[in-house]
Amino acid sequence: MIVDLVLHNAKAYIKGEILECSIAIEEGKYIKIGKQPQMPNADQKIDLHGLLVLPGLIDEHVHLRDEEKTYKEDFISGTSSAAAGGFTTVLDMPNNQPITNSVKTFKNRLEIAKRRTLVNIGLYSEFPENLTTLTKISYEGAIGFKLFMGNQIGGLNIDDDQALKNGFKAAGEANTVVAIHAEDKNQITLNEHQFKKNKRNGVKDYLLAHTEQTEVQAIERAIRTSEGSNACLHFCHITSKQGLETIKEAKKAGKNVTCEATPNHLLLTSADTARLGMIAIIAPPLRAKLHQDALLKGVIQGDIDTIGSDHAPHTIEEKTVDSVWDVKVGTPGLETTLPLMLTLVKKKIVTFQKLVEVFAEKPAEIYSLTNKGKLEKGKDADLTIIDYKRHWTIAASKFKSKAKFSPYNNWEVIGKPVKTFVNGILIMDENEIVANPGSGRIIQKTTQ
Ligand code: DOR
Ligand code: ZN
Ligand code: ZN
């Protein structure tokens, strides 16, 4: 038998252990994992010289823009950024231009993504106004539905509890995940209004307007209004101790609830805002150290299920404005997330096991990506290959993303993704993109 590819001298993460082995790949799937002499012949052989091999990592929270926002990012630049950052699958958010929340906008976005993507990609939809359309979009393969509670983006009236209830009920019936941006719009609007009236428009004022209570209120409201529905709630970018406590209680009560943290909220605090200025303005914002500590503990203890980059590219002009109320919120993260987390592994703050759990196993489970998340015979041959000893310095000017700024510019990190394979195809090699746009696959949720 001759297979497509065999990788030799791998240190691969398999069932909780790091094992020295070879990996055979045929037609985009693992066909054999074992000792070198047991490997079949192959068209291509690559010696990995002891590099670490992880199951392809999944970033379940990215904003890849494209369509009418290609000036910020497009699928080619965004998924090049993903491949360079060690992600083989990304799940893309729907706050686009046009907003992805109809069968037409969803199918159109899927067509564009298919031709341009370098990694596997699943698309979220926003809620449509008419909930019968939700079933149709879900049928087209939406990976989940996004609910922005901090500002009105989709078709669900977020000021109306009954509308939220209906939305959760419909999502439950369609057996789809609802990814939630939990901030209370009304409270934030009131706070912002006060600050603007008093001509307070600095970075600190933004943090004071987006208090942690606004997050807790929104989490409580989402849990309350989803009561009795079958919806799976996935809370994005949790930032507060109390928010996390609320989610822990819901989990304990048997509710179908999971949550995500971003490296921003795990590694930066509100104290960094003055130093970093507008580029560190993200939603929800950075918090005080006590929250950061609680989140890190939440990751270590398994209360936080996933880590997502919340890659949110903007132009540098959009990030360098005078008033904080005019700044576009968000920061790119695809090329920094994994190295930052690898550095925490090196510092023995988190384990490799945890890394694989939050970036592969849990996202695969939450989003029903049944062929992903594990290095196992028969699964998709998505691989993230890491030089875990490499010391290097983050340089935002070299990002593949169009957004060439970062709160982590010039940070010293340890550990670098050096190769990314997607369905058995080498996409990124030593920071070079070596495959063509369209090499990645579209992931459509299979509707039962
Ligand atoms: O920081 C953020 N950026 N938070 C959001 O909710 C939206 C995102 C974006 O799309 O830029
Ligand atoms: Zn968000
Ligand atoms: Zn986001």
Side-chain angles (χ1 to χ4, degrees):
M1 181 193 197
I2 301 177
V3 299
D4 293 336
L5 172 66
V6 172
L7 304 172
H8 287 302
N9 294 318
K11 279 194 182 140
Y13 183 91
I14 298 167
K15 291 187 185 144
E17 284 180 276
I18 294 174
L19 303 175
E20 287 181 16
C21 63
S22 296
I23 301 167
I25 295 165
E26 172 69 357
E27 293 191 346
K29 300 210 180 279
Y30 303 117
I31 188 162
K32 191 166 187 152
I33 300 166
K35 295 272 169 250
Q36 183 154 351
Q38 301 160 354
M39 286 296 118
N41 271 331
D43 288 337
Q44 197 191 1
K45 292 176 191 164
I46 299 177
D47 188 337
L48 292 177
H49 301 288
L51 290 170
L52 178 68
V53 178
L54 301 183
L57 303 186
I58 301 166
D59 188 342
E60 33 77 271
H61 189 160
V62 300
H63 300 261
L64 296 185
R65 316 294 192 207
D66 210 295
E67 299 184 87
E68 288 168 41
K69 286 190 185 169
T70 53
Y71 66 97
K72 292 181 197 255
E73 193 81 290
D74 58 41
F75 285 122
I76 299 177
S77 59
T79 59
S80 297
S81 181
F87 292 103
T88 56
T89 297
V90 292
L91 305 184
D92 167 70
M93 288 295 174
N95 57 330
N96 303 307
Q97 190 66 32
I99 292 169
T100 314
N101 75 337
S102 66
V103 170
K104 186 164 174 258
T105 50
F106 183 82
K107 281 172 89 168
N108 191 44
R109 191 164 173 82
L110 213 64
E111 274 306 307
I112 300 169
K114 196 198 254 172
R115 283 168 175 72
R116 297 186 181 164
T117 192
L118 284 144
V119 301
N120 301 312
I121 182 167
L123 305 185
Y124 291 92
S125 171
E126 249 297 341
F127 277 86
E129 202 175 326
N130 180 342
L131 289 171
T132 56
T133 310
L134 182 142
T135 320
K136 292 183 191 152
I137 303 171
S138 188
Y139 189 76
E140 293 297 333
I143 206 75
F145 285 76
K146 181 73 184 274
L147 179 62
F148 281 94
M149 297 178 78
N151 50 343
Q152 184 66 47
I153 293 181
L156 210 60
N157 178 3
I158 57 165
D159 294 329
D160 178 3
D161 272 13
Q162 190 57 47
L164 293 190
K165 282 183 192 165
N166 297 343
F168 284 124
K169 185 164 175 283
E173 281 162 9
N175 193 23
T176 190
V177 176
V178 183
I180 303 173
H181 178 124
E183 285 193 289
D184 185 71
K185 174 185 154 238
N186 289 340
Q187 193 56 52
I188 291 171
T189 312
L190 280 176
N191 295 350
E192 271 191 29
H193 186 73
Q194 275 312 107
F195 282 107
K196 283 180 188 167
K197 212 170 83 185
N198 297 324
K199 299 212 169 6
R200 288 182 53 181
N201 55 16
V203 285
K204 283 268 160 65
D205 302 318
Y206 179 89
L207 271 51
L208 293 170
H210 290 245
T211 60
E212 43 277 9
Q213 287 82 354
T214 63
E215 174 172 281
V216 180
Q217 276 168 29
I219 293 172
E220 286 173 352
R221 183 166 172 238
I223 291 172
R224 178 166 34 84
T225 50
S226 67
E227 202 79 48
S229 77
N230 251 336
C232 320
L233 275 57
H234 184 55
F235 286 99
C236 301
H237 45 48
I238 288 303
T239 66
S240 65
K241 186 171 194 278
Q242 189 56 42
L244 181 57
E245 284 306 318
T246 309
I247 290 166
K248 275 164 72 176
E249 276 161 33
K251 284 183 175 183
K252 238 190 252 161
K255 301 213 158 71
N256 201 344
V257 169
T258 51
C259 68
E260 169 210 68
T262 76
N264 303 328
H265 301 104
L266 292 170
L267 293 163
L268 301 171
T269 69
S270 43
D272 293 303
T273 314
R275 178 176 61 85
L276 293 163
M278 295 287 183
I279 64 156
I281 295 296
I282 56 176
L286 299 177
R287 305 278 185 216
K289 182 141 192 330
L290 87 105
H291 299 289
Q292 181 196 31
D293 292 344
L295 294 179
L296 202 50
K297 197 167 150 207
V299 169
I300 293 163
Q301 294 185 342
D303 300 319
I304 290 173
D305 301 277
T306 63
I307 292 181
S309 70
D310 197 3
H311 180 76
H314 297 289
T315 67
I316 194 66
E317 291 76 22
E318 288 171 329
K319 292 300 289 185
T320 45
V321 291
D322 292 333
S323 163
V324 80
W325 312 116
D326 296 331
V327 77
K328 295 287 179 196
V329 296
T331 190
L334 273 165
E335 287 160 83
T336 50
T337 291
L338 179 58
L340 290 168
M341 294 310 296
L342 284 167
T343 307
L344 292 191
V345 173
K346 183 73 187 172
K347 289 182 179 165
K348 299 205 180 330
I349 297 169
V350 294
T351 60
F352 271 124
Q353 276 88 340
K354 184 51 71 182
L355 207 77
V356 174
E357 203 179 301
V358 297
F359 285 126
E361 293 167 357
K362 281 290 187 92
E365 192 183 309
I366 293 168
Y367 290 92
S368 310
L369 309 173
T370 44
N371 290 323
K372 307 212 176 286
K374 288 198 169 87
L375 250 166
E376 230 173 68
K377 187 177 170 184
K379 301 254 186 225
D380 295 342
D382 298 335
L383 298 148
T384 301
I385 299 184
I386 291 165
D387 181 348
Y388 60 96
K389 291 183 184 155
R390 195 171 313 179
H391 289 243
W392 61 288
T393 307
I394 291 173
S397 63
K398 303 228 174 85
F399 283 172
K400 308 279 181 218
S401 168
K402 291 185 186 180
K404 299 191 194 302
F405 60 88
S406 169
Y408 312 103
N409 197 29
N410 292 325
W411 278 36
E412 304 278 335
V413 284
I414 310 166
K416 195 177 202 310
V418 288
K419 286 184 187 356
T420 311
F421 286 90
V422 175
N423 304 303
I425 301 168
L426 183 63
I427 304 290
M428 181 278 287
D429 195 8
E430 281 292 347
N431 219 37
E432 290 300 316
I433 300 301
V434 294
N436 293 322
S439 300
R441 286 194 198 143
I442 297 286
I443 299 171
Q444 280 159 296
K445 181 177 174 290
T446 45
T447 32
Q448 295 88 10

